[in-house]
Amino acid sequence: MPAPDAEINILFSSAEIASRIGELAEEIGAESGPDLLIVAILKGSFVFAADLVRALHQTGLKPEIDFITLSSYGAGTESSGRVAVLRDIAAEPAGRRLLLIDDILESGRTLAFAREELTRRGAEVRTCVLLDKRGKRKAEIEADYVGFVCPDRFVVGYGLDYAHYFRELPYIGTVEHR
Ligand code: IMP
Ligand code: MG
């Protein structure tokens, strides 16, 4: 299936995102010890995580970096409510300070699931999301670090997809159907 025919209106520009990530990295860097394990939730957070870890490098952090792939929407724009591990981390989380990174916190089910699972395996987990859609929360969770509060609209770009497309956009925008 080709990319959906949609118009994207910019919500957060690449310059705004870069500047906010610099601030987040300062905050995280000041509060993290030397032995940090970063776990980015795929696929959506790959762009955010890539920029955030390089900003964290500027603060002197030398984290171990791993990835976990969790199921989410499939191809629609509504969450199914069930979360499963499609591909696990290779790192050993027991006894580690761990920073969990996701693109967006919506119902909260994805982040709550990942935090619970990694806590159960013995990590001390903190969470960081680029976007927080507060109006849609179903699970009881707030992220420790939030880039931007996001309006209750479906957004794409900077790693976030609509039906597997638009992840490559260097900004975040809302989808307007034609
Ligand atoms: P939650 O489990 O409902 O909090 O949803 C989190 C996951 O759903 C995120 O990791 C995203 O992959 C996806 N998601 C939620 N809202 C959006 C959106 O507006 N655009 C694209 N993906 C989204
Ligand atoms: Mg995601």
mmCIF file of all heavy atoms in Angstrom, residues 17-18 21-22 25 38-58 63 65-67 99 101-103 128 130 158-159 167:
data_model
loop_
_atom_site.group_PDB
_atom_site.id
_atom_site.type_symbol
_atom_site.label_atom_id
_atom_site.label_comp_id
_atom_site.label_asym_id
_atom_site.label_seq_id
_atom_site.Cartn_x
_atom_site.Cartn_y
_atom_site.Cartn_z
ATOM 1 N N ILE A 17 11.841 20.945 18.252
ATOM 2 C CA ILE A 17 12.124 19.621 18.814
ATOM 3 C C ILE A 17 13.577 19.558 19.298
ATOM 4 O O ILE A 17 13.855 19.124 20.418
ATOM 5 C CB ILE A 17 11.846 18.509 17.784
ATOM 6 C CG1 ILE A 17 10.356 18.468 17.422
ATOM 7 C CG2 ILE A 17 12.286 17.150 18.317
ATOM 8 C CD1 ILE A 17 10.016 17.578 16.224
ATOM 9 N N ALA A 18 14.505 20.029 18.455
ATOM 10 C CA ALA A 18 15.928 19.979 18.810
ATOM 11 C C ALA A 18 16.198 20.766 20.087
ATOM 12 O O ALA A 18 16.939 20.308 20.974
ATOM 13 C CB ALA A 18 16.770 20.520 17.660
ATOM 14 N N ILE A 21 14.807 18.919 23.129
ATOM 15 C CA ILE A 21 15.604 17.735 23.446
ATOM 16 C C ILE A 21 16.882 18.133 24.205
ATOM 17 O O ILE A 21 17.303 17.450 25.131
ATOM 18 C CB ILE A 21 15.922 16.927 22.168
ATOM 19 C CG1 ILE A 21 14.657 16.185 21.733
ATOM 20 C CG2 ILE A 21 17.071 15.941 22.394
ATOM 21 C CD1 ILE A 21 14.802 15.381 20.463
ATOM 22 N N GLY A 22 17.447 19.270 23.844
ATOM 23 C CA GLY A 22 18.607 19.785 24.582
ATOM 24 C C GLY A 22 18.270 20.011 26.049
ATOM 25 O O GLY A 22 19.033 19.630 26.951
ATOM 26 N N ALA A 25 17.731 16.626 27.847
ATOM 27 C CA ALA A 25 19.005 15.945 28.095
ATOM 28 C C ALA A 25 19.718 16.533 29.319
ATOM 29 O O ALA A 25 20.303 15.801 30.116
ATOM 30 C CB ALA A 25 19.895 16.030 26.860
ATOM 31 N N ILE A 38 19.564 2.521 28.682
ATOM 32 C CA ILE A 38 18.464 3.150 27.960
ATOM 33 C C ILE A 38 17.755 2.096 27.127
ATOM 34 O O ILE A 38 18.398 1.327 26.413
ATOM 35 C CB ILE A 38 18.987 4.284 27.048
ATOM 36 C CG1 ILE A 38 19.409 5.467 27.920
ATOM 37 C CG2 ILE A 38 17.929 4.706 26.031
ATOM 38 C CD1 ILE A 38 19.905 6.668 27.150
ATOM 39 N N VAL A 39 16.423 2.048 27.241
ATOM 40 C CA VAL A 39 15.632 1.133 26.419
ATOM 41 C C VAL A 39 14.626 1.956 25.626
ATOM 42 O O VAL A 39 13.746 2.607 26.196
ATOM 43 C CB VAL A 39 14.906 0.075 27.279
ATOM 44 C CG1 VAL A 39 13.991 -0.789 26.404
ATOM 45 C CG2 VAL A 39 15.913 -0.812 28.015
ATOM 46 N N ALA A 40 14.785 1.958 24.298
ATOM 47 C CA ALA A 40 13.870 2.687 23.423
ATOM 48 C C ALA A 40 12.818 1.726 22.897
ATOM 49 O O ALA A 40 13.135 0.610 22.476
ATOM 50 C CB ALA A 40 14.638 3.323 22.274
ATOM 51 N N ILE A 41 11.569 2.159 22.936
ATOM 52 C CA ILE A 41 10.458 1.324 22.475
ATOM 53 C C ILE A 41 10.269 1.528 20.970
ATOM 54 O O ILE A 41 10.018 2.642 20.510
ATOM 55 C CB ILE A 41 9.157 1.665 23.242
ATOM 56 C CG1 ILE A 41 9.361 1.441 24.742
ATOM 57 C CG2 ILE A 41 7.999 0.820 22.705
ATOM 58 C CD1 ILE A 41 8.166 1.813 25.609
ATOM 59 N N LEU A 42 10.398 0.441 20.216
ATOM 60 C CA LEU A 42 10.262 0.491 18.754
ATOM 61 C C LEU A 42 8.821 0.193 18.349
ATOM 62 O O LEU A 42 8.111 -0.459 19.084
ATOM 63 C CB LEU A 42 11.198 -0.536 18.113
ATOM 64 C CG LEU A 42 12.685 -0.258 18.348
ATOM 65 C CD1 LEU A 42 13.534 -1.349 17.709
ATOM 66 C CD2 LEU A 42 13.090 1.105 17.836
ATOM 67 N N LYS A 43 8.404 0.708 17.158
ATOM 68 C CA LYS A 43 9.311 1.407 16.271
ATOM 69 C C LYS A 43 9.329 2.904 16.523
ATOM 70 O O LYS A 43 10.287 3.596 16.178
ATOM 71 C CB LYS A 43 8.884 1.166 14.815
ATOM 72 C CG LYS A 43 8.834 -0.260 14.379
ATOM 73 C CD LYS A 43 8.208 -0.311 12.963
ATOM 74 C CE LYS A 43 7.935 -1.759 12.575
ATOM 75 N NZ LYS A 43 7.136 -1.805 11.332
ATOM 76 N N GLY A 44 8.237 3.437 17.049
ATOM 77 C CA GLY A 44 7.991 4.879 17.042
ATOM 78 C C GLY A 44 9.072 5.773 17.614
ATOM 79 O O GLY A 44 9.226 6.909 17.198
ATOM 80 N N SER A 45 9.861 5.277 18.603
ATOM 81 C CA SER A 45 10.785 6.179 19.290
ATOM 82 C C SER A 45 12.177 6.209 18.672
ATOM 83 O O SER A 45 13.075 6.825 19.239
ATOM 84 C CB SER A 45 10.871 5.820 20.772
ATOM 85 O OG SER A 45 11.693 4.689 20.954
ATOM 86 N N PHE A 46 12.376 5.574 17.505
ATOM 87 C CA PHE A 46 13.763 5.462 17.018
ATOM 88 C C PHE A 46 14.387 6.805 16.667
ATOM 89 O O PHE A 46 15.574 7.015 16.909
ATOM 90 C CB PHE A 46 13.873 4.462 15.851
ATOM 91 C CG PHE A 46 13.439 4.975 14.487
ATOM 92 C CD1 PHE A 46 14.377 5.237 13.505
ATOM 93 C CD2 PHE A 46 12.104 5.167 14.189
ATOM 94 C CE1 PHE A 46 13.995 5.692 12.245
ATOM 95 C CE2 PHE A 46 11.712 5.617 12.926
ATOM 96 C CZ PHE A 46 12.658 5.883 11.959
ATOM 97 N N VAL A 47 13.617 7.747 16.144
ATOM 98 C CA VAL A 47 14.185 9.055 15.779
ATOM 99 C C VAL A 47 14.451 9.875 17.054
ATOM 100 O O VAL A 47 15.538 10.434 17.229
ATOM 101 C CB VAL A 47 13.248 9.814 14.825
ATOM 102 C CG1 VAL A 47 13.826 11.180 14.486
ATOM 103 C CG2 VAL A 47 13.017 9.014 13.550
ATOM 104 N N PHE A 48 13.476 9.921 17.931
ATOM 105 C CA PHE A 48 13.615 10.650 19.201
ATOM 106 C C PHE A 48 14.795 10.100 20.001
ATOM 107 O O PHE A 48 15.637 10.851 20.498
ATOM 108 C CB PHE A 48 12.305 10.535 19.987
ATOM 109 C CG PHE A 48 12.336 11.124 21.363
ATOM 110 C CD1 PHE A 48 12.914 12.375 21.594
ATOM 111 C CD2 PHE A 48 11.772 10.443 22.440
ATOM 112 C CE1 PHE A 48 12.930 12.931 22.882
ATOM 113 C CE2 PHE A 48 11.786 10.988 23.716
ATOM 114 C CZ PHE A 48 12.364 12.230 23.947
ATOM 115 N N ALA A 49 14.868 8.764 20.115
ATOM 116 C CA ALA A 49 15.947 8.148 20.897
ATOM 117 C C ALA A 49 17.313 8.490 20.299
ATOM 118 O O ALA A 49 18.259 8.797 21.027
ATOM 119 C CB ALA A 49 15.755 6.633 20.965
ATOM 120 N N ALA A 50 17.397 8.467 18.966
ATOM 121 C CA ALA A 50 18.677 8.750 18.305
ATOM 122 C C ALA A 50 19.144 10.173 18.610
ATOM 123 O O ALA A 50 20.336 10.414 18.853
ATOM 124 C CB ALA A 50 18.545 8.552 16.797
ATOM 125 N N ASP A 51 18.225 11.129 18.608
ATOM 126 C CA ASP A 51 18.596 12.517 18.915
ATOM 127 C C ASP A 51 18.847 12.696 20.414
ATOM 128 O O ASP A 51 19.771 13.400 20.814
ATOM 129 C CB ASP A 51 17.512 13.481 18.431
ATOM 130 C CG ASP A 51 17.582 13.707 16.920
ATOM 131 O OD1 ASP A 51 18.626 13.373 16.311
ATOM 132 O OD2 ASP A 51 16.606 14.220 16.352
ATOM 133 N N LEU A 52 18.007 12.054 21.236
ATOM 134 C CA LEU A 52 18.166 12.216 22.689
ATOM 135 C C LEU A 52 19.492 11.642 23.187
ATOM 136 O O LEU A 52 20.172 12.271 24.004
ATOM 137 C CB LEU A 52 16.986 11.570 23.431
ATOM 138 C CG LEU A 52 16.999 11.741 24.949
ATOM 139 C CD1 LEU A 52 16.868 13.211 25.347
ATOM 140 C CD2 LEU A 52 15.870 10.933 25.605
ATOM 141 N N VAL A 53 19.888 10.462 22.706
ATOM 142 C CA VAL A 53 21.155 9.884 23.220
ATOM 143 C C VAL A 53 22.353 10.742 22.807
ATOM 144 O O VAL A 53 23.322 10.867 23.561
ATOM 145 C CB VAL A 53 21.383 8.406 22.805
ATOM 146 C CG1 VAL A 53 20.311 7.516 23.411
ATOM 147 C CG2 VAL A 53 21.470 8.216 21.300
ATOM 148 N N ARG A 54 22.268 11.378 21.621
ATOM 149 C CA ARG A 54 23.387 12.251 21.222
ATOM 150 C C ARG A 54 23.405 13.527 22.049
ATOM 151 O O ARG A 54 24.464 14.061 22.364
ATOM 152 C CB ARG A 54 23.323 12.529 19.720
ATOM 153 C CG ARG A 54 23.795 11.313 18.930
ATOM 154 C CD ARG A 54 23.698 11.503 17.463
ATOM 155 N NE ARG A 54 22.301 11.483 17.030
ATOM 156 C CZ ARG A 54 21.927 11.602 15.781
ATOM 157 N NH1 ARG A 54 22.820 11.803 14.835
ATOM 158 N NH2 ARG A 54 20.653 11.539 15.461
ATOM 159 N N ALA A 55 22.228 14.002 22.452
ATOM 160 C CA ALA A 55 22.172 15.160 23.352
ATOM 161 C C ALA A 55 22.668 14.753 24.736
ATOM 162 O O ALA A 55 23.331 15.537 25.421
ATOM 163 C CB ALA A 55 20.745 15.706 23.423
ATOM 164 N N LEU A 56 22.372 13.525 25.148
ATOM 165 C CA LEU A 56 22.840 13.038 26.453
ATOM 166 C C LEU A 56 24.357 12.905 26.470
ATOM 167 O O LEU A 56 24.996 13.105 27.505
ATOM 168 C CB LEU A 56 22.182 11.694 26.798
ATOM 169 C CG LEU A 56 20.708 11.779 27.216
ATOM 170 C CD1 LEU A 56 20.092 10.391 27.314
ATOM 171 C CD2 LEU A 56 20.569 12.519 28.552
ATOM 172 N N HIS A 57 24.929 12.574 25.333
ATOM 173 C CA HIS A 57 26.389 12.493 25.222
ATOM 174 C C HIS A 57 27.027 13.838 25.593
ATOM 175 O O HIS A 57 28.068 13.885 26.251
ATOM 176 C CB HIS A 57 26.796 12.088 23.804
ATOM 177 C CG HIS A 57 28.245 12.278 23.526
ATOM 178 N ND1 HIS A 57 29.209 11.419 23.999
ATOM 179 C CD2 HIS A 57 28.901 13.261 22.861
ATOM 180 C CE1 HIS A 57 30.395 11.854 23.627
ATOM 181 N NE2 HIS A 57 30.245 12.969 22.936
ATOM 182 N N GLN A 58 26.362 14.925 25.179
ATOM 183 C CA GLN A 58 26.869 16.272 25.489
ATOM 184 C C GLN A 58 26.898 16.523 26.995
ATOM 185 O O GLN A 58 27.633 17.384 27.462
ATOM 186 C CB GLN A 58 25.994 17.361 24.822
ATOM 187 C CG GLN A 58 25.862 17.254 23.315
ATOM 188 C CD GLN A 58 27.197 17.377 22.596
ATOM 189 O OE1 GLN A 58 28.091 18.093 23.026
ATOM 190 N NE2 GLN A 58 27.342 16.655 21.496
ATOM 191 N N PRO A 63 25.664 5.864 28.285
ATOM 192 C CA PRO A 63 24.669 4.825 28.546
ATOM 193 C C PRO A 63 24.860 3.585 27.680
ATOM 194 O O PRO A 63 25.422 3.658 26.595
ATOM 195 C CB PRO A 63 23.352 5.508 28.162
ATOM 196 C CG PRO A 63 23.736 6.479 27.098
ATOM 197 C CD PRO A 63 25.120 6.957 27.453
ATOM 198 N N ILE A 65 22.691 1.107 25.410
ATOM 199 C CA ILE A 65 21.442 1.367 24.689
ATOM 200 C C ILE A 65 20.875 0.083 24.107
ATOM 201 O O ILE A 65 21.596 -0.688 23.464
ATOM 202 C CB ILE A 65 21.672 2.398 23.562
ATOM 203 C CG1 ILE A 65 22.204 3.704 24.159
ATOM 204 C CG2 ILE A 65 20.368 2.657 22.794
ATOM 205 C CD1 ILE A 65 22.670 4.716 23.130
ATOM 206 N N ASP A 66 19.590 -0.144 24.368
ATOM 207 C CA ASP A 66 18.931 -1.335 23.837
ATOM 208 C C ASP A 66 17.524 -0.960 23.355
ATOM 209 O O ASP A 66 17.083 0.166 23.538
ATOM 210 C CB ASP A 66 18.873 -2.427 24.924
ATOM 211 C CG ASP A 66 18.840 -3.830 24.317
ATOM 212 O OD1 ASP A 66 18.423 -3.988 23.155
ATOM 213 O OD2 ASP A 66 19.201 -4.785 25.035
ATOM 214 N N PHE A 67 16.857 -1.918 22.734
ATOM 215 C CA PHE A 67 15.546 -1.663 22.122
ATOM 216 C C PHE A 67 14.579 -2.778 22.472
ATOM 217 O O PHE A 67 14.981 -3.942 22.608
ATOM 218 C CB PHE A 67 15.692 -1.593 20.590
ATOM 219 C CG PHE A 67 16.641 -0.518 20.151
ATOM 220 C CD1 PHE A 67 17.994 -0.799 19.966
ATOM 221 C CD2 PHE A 67 16.197 0.777 19.962
ATOM 222 C CE1 PHE A 67 18.883 0.200 19.591
ATOM 223 C CE2 PHE A 67 17.081 1.786 19.586
ATOM 224 C CZ PHE A 67 18.426 1.493 19.402
ATOM 225 N N LEU A 99 16.365 3.956 31.733
ATOM 226 C CA LEU A 99 15.527 5.020 31.178
ATOM 227 C C LEU A 99 14.780 4.459 29.978
ATOM 228 O O LEU A 99 15.374 4.053 28.978
ATOM 229 C CB LEU A 99 16.364 6.222 30.748
ATOM 230 C CG LEU A 99 15.551 7.392 30.176
ATOM 231 C CD1 LEU A 99 14.740 8.083 31.273
ATOM 232 C CD2 LEU A 99 16.453 8.398 29.470
ATOM 233 N N ILE A 101 12.328 4.964 26.878
ATOM 234 C CA ILE A 101 11.986 6.059 25.966
ATOM 235 C C ILE A 101 10.868 5.647 25.020
ATOM 236 O O ILE A 101 10.945 4.599 24.385
ATOM 237 C CB ILE A 101 13.214 6.450 25.101
ATOM 238 C CG1 ILE A 101 14.345 6.934 25.992
ATOM 239 C CG2 ILE A 101 12.838 7.525 24.083
ATOM 240 C CD1 ILE A 101 15.591 7.319 25.211
ATOM 241 N N ASP A 102 9.835 6.494 24.929
ATOM 242 C CA ASP A 102 8.819 6.263 23.898
ATOM 243 C C ASP A 102 8.494 7.571 23.188
ATOM 244 O O ASP A 102 8.829 8.655 23.661
ATOM 245 C CB ASP A 102 7.560 5.611 24.480
ATOM 246 C CG ASP A 102 6.789 4.814 23.414
ATOM 247 O OD1 ASP A 102 7.233 4.755 22.243
ATOM 248 O OD2 ASP A 102 5.740 4.235 23.746
ATOM 249 N N ASP A 103 7.861 7.439 22.035
ATOM 250 C CA ASP A 103 7.527 8.627 21.244
ATOM 251 C C ASP A 103 6.373 9.401 21.870
ATOM 252 O O ASP A 103 6.442 10.611 22.020
ATOM 253 C CB ASP A 103 7.193 8.227 19.791
ATOM 254 C CG ASP A 103 6.191 7.074 19.692
ATOM 255 O OD1 ASP A 103 5.709 6.583 20.740
ATOM 256 O OD2 ASP A 103 5.884 6.651 18.566
ATOM 257 N N CYS A 128 10.653 8.470 29.753
ATOM 258 C CA CYS A 128 10.764 9.715 29.005
ATOM 259 C C CYS A 128 9.990 9.592 27.701
ATOM 260 O O CYS A 128 10.202 8.648 26.947
ATOM 261 C CB CYS A 128 12.242 9.990 28.721
ATOM 262 S SG CYS A 128 12.524 11.430 27.685
ATOM 263 N N LEU A 130 8.482 11.910 24.208
ATOM 264 C CA LEU A 130 8.553 13.200 23.518
ATOM 265 C C LEU A 130 7.223 13.932 23.626
ATOM 266 O O LEU A 130 7.182 15.121 23.882
ATOM 267 C CB LEU A 130 8.924 12.995 22.040
ATOM 268 C CG LEU A 130 9.037 14.300 21.247
ATOM 269 C CD1 LEU A 130 10.144 15.183 21.807
ATOM 270 C CD2 LEU A 130 9.259 14.020 19.776
ATOM 271 N N TYR A 158 8.738 12.383 12.674
ATOM 272 C CA TYR A 158 9.761 12.252 13.702
ATOM 273 C C TYR A 158 9.652 10.870 14.375
ATOM 274 O O TYR A 158 9.736 10.730 15.579
ATOM 275 C CB TYR A 158 9.626 13.386 14.730
ATOM 276 C CG TYR A 158 10.882 13.639 15.494
ATOM 277 C CD1 TYR A 158 11.991 14.230 14.901
ATOM 278 C CD2 TYR A 158 10.984 13.253 16.831
ATOM 279 C CE1 TYR A 158 13.159 14.435 15.610
ATOM 280 C CE2 TYR A 158 12.142 13.451 17.549
ATOM 281 C CZ TYR A 158 13.219 14.045 16.934
ATOM 282 O OH TYR A 158 14.369 14.236 17.652
ATOM 283 N N GLY A 159 9.401 9.839 13.560
ATOM 284 C CA GLY A 159 9.291 8.473 14.064
ATOM 285 C C GLY A 159 7.868 7.954 14.154
ATOM 286 O O GLY A 159 7.626 6.751 14.076
ATOM 287 N N ARG A 167 7.021 8.338 8.994
ATOM 288 C CA ARG A 167 7.999 8.329 10.080
ATOM 289 C C ARG A 167 9.215 9.203 9.771
ATOM 290 O O ARG A 167 9.915 9.654 10.658
ATOM 291 C CB ARG A 167 8.504 6.899 10.336
ATOM 292 C CG ARG A 167 7.465 5.938 10.887
ATOM 293 C CD ARG A 167 8.147 4.656 11.354
ATOM 294 N NE ARG A 167 7.230 3.541 11.502
ATOM 295 C CZ ARG A 167 6.522 3.286 12.607
ATOM 296 N NH1 ARG A 167 6.626 4.069 13.653
ATOM 297 N NH2 ARG A 167 5.722 2.245 12.661
#
